[in-house]
Amino acid sequence: MSIATVTPSATNLTQAAISSLANTFAEEMAYRPGGDLRNVVEALGGQISYYETSSTDAASGSIFIEPESFEIRLPMDTGPLRDRFTIAHELGHLVLHYYYPQSLGKLGPHETMVATRFGQGRVESEANWFAASFLMPAADFTATLRDRNGSLSAVAQLFGVSVPAARVRAESLHLQFND
């Protein structure tokens, strides 16, 4: 049997639907904001590895998916907060662009997939929406931001994300913040 390698295709789900899938996935994985993402990856049969980047390598992460396992590859020159978002982004590809099409019969059980985090486009936006919702669920994020008097730095620290990621999430949820 030959195994086909495919590239991710957009689900064209709404941002709200992707957020809902991310929240359901977090519940199924018993993930709590700020939690260890390695546990999620390993529970799904995956692993995380690191690679050296070159001046011509602009990718900030990638996922290689096989029928029974997957590998999330991260560059060695990024920090832990960036890596957390990248891991969640790559999990977004796994859920949205591999598992979801399989559940609809649009992707065979023996196909492999490679998603490299370059640039923009609908597929990358969907993975980003998933990552933001997975790492910073709207209800928890909103309550925490309110409880921390609008301090993005305090919220970012609790959720294990960078301040810029927390800012984008607050703006996307139309929330007021101080820093």
Side-chain angles (χ1 to χ4, degrees):
M1 168 187 317
S2 70
I3 297 176
T5 299
V6 297
T7 56
S9 295
T11 64
N12 293 315
L13 293 170
T14 65
Q15 198 166 347
I18 289 171
S19 179
S20 179
L21 280 173
N23 292 334
T24 299
F25 179 69
E27 287 175 20
E28 289 173 358
M29 298 308 302
Y31 176 80
R32 300 290 174 255
D36 188 350
L37 294 175
R38 287 187 182 281
N39 294 340
V40 174
V41 171
E42 290 171 3
L44 293 167
Q47 64 179 356
I48 298 171
S49 65
Y50 294 87
Y51 64 93
E52 299 251 357
T53 57
S54 67
S55 60
T56 59
D57 185 8
S60 60
S62 56
I63 187 168
F64 297 84
I65 306 168
E66 296 183 354
E68 301 297 325
S69 66
F70 64 94
E71 178 184 8
I72 294 174
R73 299 186 70 219
L74 303 170
M76 292 179 78
D77 60 353
T78 54
L81 298 180
R82 173 61 185 226
D83 289 350
R84 282 178 55 77
F85 196 88
T86 300
I87 292 166
H89 173 97
E90 301 307 339
L91 288 172
H93 283 307
L94 180 70
V95 171
L96 297 172
H97 305 125
Y98 193 76
Y99 292 157
Y100 181 72
Q102 280 186 334
S103 74
L104 300 175
K106 294 180 178 180
L107 190 63
H110 301 291
E111 294 184 274
T112 63
M113 179 176 287
V114 176
T116 303
R117 194 168 184 202
F118 281 111
Q120 294 298 320
R122 177 69 191 213
V123 168
E124 292 302 303
S125 292
E126 289 178 356
N128 282 336
W129 297 338
F130 182 95
S133 295
F134 180 77
L135 294 172
M136 301 171 276
D140 292 338
F141 187 87
T142 301
T144 303
L145 187 62
R146 181 190 62 240
D147 293 347
R148 300 296 186 272
N149 298 315
S151 172
L152 284 179
S153 57
V155 171
Q157 185 175 15
L158 287 168
F159 283 84
V161 298
S162 66
V163 172
R167 177 176 284 108
V168 169
R169 185 64 169 150
E171 289 171 351
S172 74
L173 296 170
H174 308 290
L175 302 174
Q176 298 294 318
F177 52 88
N178 296 324
D179 52 348

